[in-house]
């Protein structure tokens, strides 16, 4: 469940920008890619599991576990095309974000621009990209993208949040993974599987539905209320 913040003209402007973007038909020349991050705990079993000995039995695992730090997942998805680039990193700092932009750019060499939906995290900008790749290369890379930022407290508008949920259910489940390399191998296998299937996200929330749901006509009508 999401708690929608106070509707302001700025909130409406950003929300409708993202929703208008999602409503556009699939265009290989202007792919719409969503990006988000989420921490993942690296856990190991404290005691050896008891395996199932015959069909119908289940593996038995002790509730106690050992922490081995955390990793980070960059959820990267082109929802309408069913293209997934979800990647495991050690952290979500600026250099990792810069590397993710390079990975996305390499995946769309023929694109005229890449529409990138993301939230307002302080690493989501041109500065960390230029710091990692240098001013010239960093600017060239950043200019390959058209960024679309969700409004503050509006991360529910980012379809990469859905990607994170799918990834956690289908790839991680209830498994305990103690090492980042094991997590990367599992994430890579999951990416290959969902890309073969072309797993898409069927987004149905539109500008029209937003105006009906939140009882406003346009940004000006919100301004007149405040």
């Amino acid at each position: 469940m999401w708690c929608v913040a106070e509707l302001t003209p700025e909130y409406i402007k950003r929300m409708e920008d993202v929703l208008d973007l999602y409503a556009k038909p699939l265009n290989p020349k202007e792919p719409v890619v969503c990006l988000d991050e989420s921490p993942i705990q690296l856990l190991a079993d404290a005691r050896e599991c008891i395996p199932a000995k015959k069909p119908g039995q289940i593996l038995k695992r002790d509730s106690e576990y050992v922490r081995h730090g955390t990793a980070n997942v960059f959820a990267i998805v082109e929802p309408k095309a069913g293209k997934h680039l979800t990647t495991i990193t050690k952290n979500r700092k600026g250099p990792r974000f810069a590397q993710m932009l390079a990975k996305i750019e390499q995946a769309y060499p023929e694109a005229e621009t890449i529409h990138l939906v993301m939230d307002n995290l302080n690493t989501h900008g041109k500065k960390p990209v230029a710091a990692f790749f240098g001013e010239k290369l960093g600017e060239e890379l950043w200019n390959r993208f058209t960024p679309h930022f969700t409004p503050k407290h509006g991360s529910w508008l980012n379809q990469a949040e859905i990607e994170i949920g799918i990834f956690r259910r289908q790839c991680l489940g209830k498994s305990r993974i103690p090492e980042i390399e094991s997590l990367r191998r599992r994430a890579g296998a999951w990416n290959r599987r969902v890309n073969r299937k072309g797993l898409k996200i069927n987004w149905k929330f539109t500008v029209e539905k937003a105006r009906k749901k939140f009882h406003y006509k346009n940004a000006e009508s919100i301004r007149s209320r405040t």
Side-chain angles (χ1 to χ4, degrees), residues 46-62:
R47 297 176 181 83
E48 188 174 348
C49 296
I50 301 175
K53 295 182 180 179
K54 60 182 180 180
Q57 289 186 341
I58 62 172
L59 177 142
K60 295 179 181 179
R61 183 176 62 192
D62 194 89

Side-chain angles (χ1 to χ4, degrees), residues 94-143:
R96 305 292 82 76
F97 172 72
Q99 290 175 318
M100 291 304 101
L101 288 199
K103 181 172 185 173
I104 297 170
E105 195 272 340
Q106 290 168 6
Y108 299 95
E110 303 300 323
E112 294 174 359
T113 188
I114 302 167
H115 295 280
L116 184 63
V117 179
M118 52 190 168
D119 62 24
N120 298 275
L121 191 67
N122 59 358
T123 56
H124 292 172
K126 178 181 175 181
K127 185 176 179 180
V129 181
F132 186 79
F133 289 108
E135 288 293 335
K136 184 176 183 298
L137 290 178
E139 183 171 3
E140 289 177 358
L141 176 58
W142 182 252
N143 288 340

Side-chain angles (χ1 to χ4, degrees), residues 35-52:
L35 176 149
D36 199 11
E37 306 97 330
S38 182
I40 296 177
Q41 288 194 79
L42 299 174
L43 304 174
D45 290 309
R47 297 176 181 83
E48 188 174 348
C49 296
I50 301 175

Side-chain angles (χ1 to χ4, degrees), residues 68-206:
H68 284 256
T70 61
N72 175 73
V73 56
F74 274 98
I76 304 169
V77 59
E78 185 187 358
K80 284 190 173 179
K83 190 169 185 175
H84 306 259
L85 300 170
T86 294
T87 303
I88 301 299
T89 60
K90 290 183 178 180
N91 55 59
R92 66 176 193 181
K93 294 180 180 179
R96 305 292 82 76
F97 172 72
Q99 290 175 318
M100 291 304 101
L101 288 199
K103 181 172 185 173
I104 297 170
E105 195 272 340
Q106 290 168 6
Y108 299 95
E110 303 300 323
E112 294 174 359
T113 188
I114 302 167
H115 295 280
L116 184 63
V117 179
M118 52 190 168
D119 62 24
N120 298 275
L121 191 67
N122 59 358
T123 56
H124 292 172
K126 178 181 175 181
K127 185 176 179 180
V129 181
F132 186 79
F133 289 108
E135 288 293 335
K136 184 176 183 298
L137 290 178
E139 183 171 3
E140 289 177 358
L141 176 58
W142 182 252
N143 288 340
R144 292 281 289 121
F145 294 85
T146 300
H148 300 263
F149 293 99
T150 59
K152 188 176 180 181
H153 302 300
S155 59
W156 59 274
L157 289 158
N158 189 347
Q159 293 188 58
E161 295 254 340
I162 298 173
E163 177 81 347
I164 289 173
I166 296 171
F167 173 80
R168 286 187 177 276
R169 290 192 302 273
Q170 294 186 354
C171 182
L172 304 182
K174 296 182 179 180
S175 299
R176 291 173 182 165
I177 305 172
E179 301 169 347
I180 191 169
E181 290 306 320
S182 297
L183 182 58
R184 282 173 174 157
R185 287 193 295 271
R186 181 175 290 213
W190 179 81
N191 267 297
R192 290 189 293 272
R193 184 171 70 252
V194 293
N195 279 318
R196 283 196 302 268
K197 292 182 177 180
L199 183 65
K200 301 175 184 178
I201 298 174
N202 186 17
W203 183 270
K204 295 183 178 181
F205 197 61
T206 63

